């Protein structure tokens, strides 16, 4: 445990260097907020670590499995194997203990929140309050379920980090190409199918976004993303056992049925096989709620899901479709990524515990769309008010 404490302090110092770098690029960057968020995230590291001591946790397997291999490269691969690849040098070369690995991956999750902050704040400079006085951005940065599932050794922390890095980098890919490539590689090797959704969302965003982008830049993005998908299509299809399927639709339907039945065997399983699509999506996005919460953790998550639901209601307006048509690349990319990922996982997930963990990857994309929509409405109201005042002042001058 002493090693974990030393690592926490060392990473705190590393954070200060990162903050200074971001502050030079973005004058609005708040070191105080990020330091508070770091301490908050460490609290959930402590919560998860305590939980793992008394319950079955994949983090223990992620720590022990890399110790059985003879070489680092034998662990290079996708999905779970890539996490073993990431942990191998820290465990076998640097001698990290289980607690130190938990701290390291919790830090990866925290970096995801830093990039989420950058992504939101850079694209949406307008402050929005919800629920009678809560700052929208602060609220979503401190949602407990998001921190719980990104504060431990496993897939959750690095995949969240890579997705938020990607979202931040796509704003200016020419200057942030290094971050973009690193984020793409990490996303692909941990969850190839999620990389598919992100790539599809990016291409659609560049095709339909309101920004005027040079034709060569669009071509570069199209070729890069589509070319990447062609190169890795066998791996993505192989994750669902569809690489040799002659009918992808039928193959995915069979896979989702078998996978859903397997996950439903758990005590927190829900039989979603016969649910209509809207109910499947509702279950993935907003359940468990208080009536079906699995245990104490489920009750806490239910309260957070209620916040998700109330925020979602804010875009159920007539003008939302009109907003989408005129929205920028980042909004359309976020919505496409969120919806495609939700659609795929809603067919597969039949376990509330798994759902709570998996949706933490993509919910921030929905939050971004909601936040941007509310900010756009506020901006339009401000501009309309200014126009009215200007007309009134012109009349008074003329009189």
């Amino acid at each position: 445990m002493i090693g974990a404490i030393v690592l926490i302090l060392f990473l705190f110092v590393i954070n200060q260097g990162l903050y200074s770098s971001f502050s030079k690029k973005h004058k609005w960057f708040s070191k105080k907020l990020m330091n508070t968020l770091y301490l908050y995230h460490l609290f959930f590291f402590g919560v998860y670590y305590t939980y793992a001591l008394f319950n079955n946790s994949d983090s223990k397997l992620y720590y022990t499995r890399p110790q059985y291999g003879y070489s680092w490269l034998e662990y290079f691969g996708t999905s779970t194997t890539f996490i073993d690849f990431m942990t191998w040098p820290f465990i076998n070369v640097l001698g990290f203990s289980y607690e130190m690995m938990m701290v390291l991956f919790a830090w990866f999750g925290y970096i995801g929140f830093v990039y989420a902050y950058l992504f939101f704040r850079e694209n949406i400079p307008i402050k929005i309050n919800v629920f009678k006085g809560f700052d929208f951005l602060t609220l979503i940065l401190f949602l407990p379920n998001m921190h719980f599932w990104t504060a431990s050794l496993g897939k959750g922390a690095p995949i969240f980090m890579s997705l938020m890095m990607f979202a931040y980098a796509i704003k200016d890919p020419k200057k942030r190409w290094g971050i973009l490539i690193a984020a793409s590689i990490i996303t692909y090797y941990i969850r190839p199918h999620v990389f598919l959704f992100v790539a599809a969302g990016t291409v659609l965003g560049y095709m339909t976004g309101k920004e005027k982008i040079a034709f060569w830049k669009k071509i570069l993005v199209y070729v890069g993303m589509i070319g990447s998908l062609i190169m890795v299509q066998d791996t993505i299809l192989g994750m669902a056992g569809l690489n040799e399927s002659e009918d992808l639709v039928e193959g995915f339907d069979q896979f989702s049925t078998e996978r859903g039945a397997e996950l439903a065997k758990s005590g927190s399983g829900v039989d979603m096989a016969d649910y209509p699509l809207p109910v499947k999506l509702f279950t993935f996005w907003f359940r468990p709620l208080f009536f079906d919460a699995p245990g104490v953790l489920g009750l806490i998550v239910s309260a957070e899901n209620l916040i998700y639901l109330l925020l979602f209601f804010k875009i159920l307006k007539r003008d939302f479709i009109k907003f989408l048509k005129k929205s920028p690349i980042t909004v359309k990319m976020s919505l496409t990524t969120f919806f495609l990922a939700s659609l795929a996982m809603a067919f597969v997930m039949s376990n509330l515990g798994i759902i709570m963990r998996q949706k933490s990857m993509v919910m921030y994309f929905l939050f971004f769309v909601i936040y941007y929509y509310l900010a756009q409405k506020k901006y339009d109201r401000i501009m309309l008010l200014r126009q009215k005042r200007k007309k009134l002042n012109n009349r008074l001058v003329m009189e």
Side-chain angles (χ1 to χ4, degrees):
M1 184 57 75
I2 294 177
I5 295 173
V6 172
L7 183 58
I8 287 173
L9 295 176
F10 175 75
L11 293 174
F12 178 81
V13 175
I14 296 295
N15 289 344
Q16 307 316 305
L18 291 174
Y19 300 161
S20 297
S21 176
F22 288 133
S23 295
K24 292 178 182 178
K25 300 175 183 177
H26 310 291
K27 294 182 179 180
W28 40 260
F29 188 88
S30 174
K31 295 182 181 180
K32 180 179 179 181
L33 177 62
M34 291 298 99
N35 276 322
T36 302
L37 192 65
Y38 181 61
L39 295 176
Y40 183 77
H41 194 68
L42 285 178
F43 168 76
F44 281 92
F45 152 73
V47 172
Y48 195 100
Y49 176 68
T50 303
Y51 170 83
L53 289 178
F54 301 99
N55 296 274
N56 292 327
S57 172
D58 290 342
S59 61
K60 298 173 183 177
L61 293 175
Y62 282 118
Y63 181 72
T64 56
R65 197 163 43 232
Q67 299 179 51
Y68 298 142
Y70 294 102
S71 67
W72 188 15
L73 290 179
E74 71 180 87
Y75 288 100
F76 186 75
T78 57
S79 192
T80 300
T81 306
F82 188 70
I83 303 300
D84 296 337
F85 177 78
M86 291 178 66
T87 59
W88 194 94
F90 292 100
I91 297 172
N92 296 294
V93 178
L94 299 178
F96 273 33
S97 64
Y98 170 70
E99 289 78 11
M100 292 177 72
M101 290 306 304
M102 289 284 282
V103 169
L104 179 64
F105 271 69
W107 184 72
F108 290 155
Y110 167 71
I111 293 300
F113 286 99
V114 174
Y115 275 102
Y117 169 69
L118 292 167
F119 172 49
F120 278 73
R121 191 69 175 78
E122 182 181 38
N123 287 281
I124 313 172
I126 298 176
K127 183 177 179 180
I128 296 294
N129 289 329
V130 292
F131 309 138
K132 298 183 180 180
F134 289 94
D135 178 65
F136 193 115
L137 183 54
T138 303
L139 174 66
I140 61 175
L141 284 176
F142 286 86
L143 290 170
N145 186 55
M146 295 295 182
H147 287 269
F148 183 80
W149 294 115
T150 57
S152 67
L153 174 56
K155 296 178 183 176
I159 189 67
F160 177 67
M161 177 185 69
S162 65
L163 287 173
M164 292 301 100
M165 288 171 61
F166 187 97
Y168 170 72
I170 204 66
K171 173 78 173 180
D172 192 356
K174 184 178 180 181
K175 293 182 179 179
R176 302 170 185 171
W177 62 269
I179 298 175
L180 186 64
I181 292 175
S184 299
I185 290 173
I186 295 171
T187 302
Y188 165 69
Y189 275 102
I190 296 178
R191 295 197 185 278
H193 56 291
V194 175
F195 176 75
L196 167 66
F197 306 143
V198 171
T202 302
V203 171
L204 181 64
Y206 269 85
M207 287 176 60
T208 60
K210 70 176 183 179
E211 297 94 336
K212 292 182 179 179
I213 300 174
F215 180 74
W216 69 269
K217 288 185 178 181
K218 288 189 175 183
I219 291 297
L220 185 63
V221 171
Y222 299 160
V223 172
M225 288 300 171
I226 296 174
S228 299
L229 290 176
I230 292 174
M231 290 174 61
V232 302
Q233 62 176 331
D234 289 341
T235 302
I236 294 173
L237 294 175
M239 292 292 294
L242 303 178
N243 50 333
E244 297 181 359
S245 177
E246 297 180 359
D247 188 334
L248 292 181
V249 175
E250 182 180 346
F252 177 76
D253 182 63
Q254 181 180 353
F255 167 76
S256 61
T257 301
E258 293 174 355
R259 180 65 171 162
E262 180 183 339
L263 292 174
K265 294 177 182 178
S266 167
S268 61
V270 287
D271 185 9
M272 291 171 57
D274 296 326
Y275 285 4
L277 179 59
V279 179
K280 285 185 177 181
L281 290 174
F282 181 89
T283 299
F284 179 72
W285 293 337
F286 307 121
R287 288 177 66 185
L289 288 169
F290 297 100
F291 64 88
D292 59 0
V296 177
L297 177 61
L299 290 174
I300 297 173
V301 174
S302 294
E304 188 167 318
N305 283 338
L306 180 60
I307 295 176
Y308 299 172
L309 189 57
L310 294 175
L311 290 174
F312 182 73
F313 283 153
K314 293 184 178 295
I315 61 173
L316 297 181
K317 310 289 184 181
R318 292 181 179 179
D319 62 346
F320 180 68
I321 300 300
K322 183 179 179 181
F323 157 77
L324 281 181
K325 291 179 180 178
K326 299 181 179 180
S327 62
I329 291 170
T330 49
V331 171
K332 290 177 177 175
M333 179 204 74
S334 297
L335 187 61
T336 303
T337 301
F338 171 75
F339 186 74
L340 288 178
S342 299
L343 194 64
M345 287 188 276
F347 277 98
V348 175
M349 300 295 142
S350 298
N351 178 290
L352 293 179
I354 300 293
I355 286 173
M356 287 189 293
R357 185 191 314 171
Q358 295 288 341
K359 71 181 177 185
S360 63
M361 288 189 302
V362 295
M363 289 305 293
Y364 268 74
F365 289 109
L366 174 63
F367 296 153
F368 181 81
V369 175
I370 298 171
Y371 192 0
Y372 204 106
Y373 169 71
L374 296 177
Q376 185 66 57
K377 291 187 70 173
K378 182 177 181 179
Y379 176 79
D380 291 341
R381 289 195 300 268
I382 293 173
M383 295 305 296
L384 182 61
L385 183 60
R386 287 181 179 178
Q387 290 178 1
K388 289 182 178 179
R389 287 178 178 176
K390 186 176 181 180
K391 289 182 180 179
L392 180 59
N393 289 333
N394 289 338
R395 287 179 183 175
L396 291 175
V397 171
M398 294 178 64
E399 292 177 357

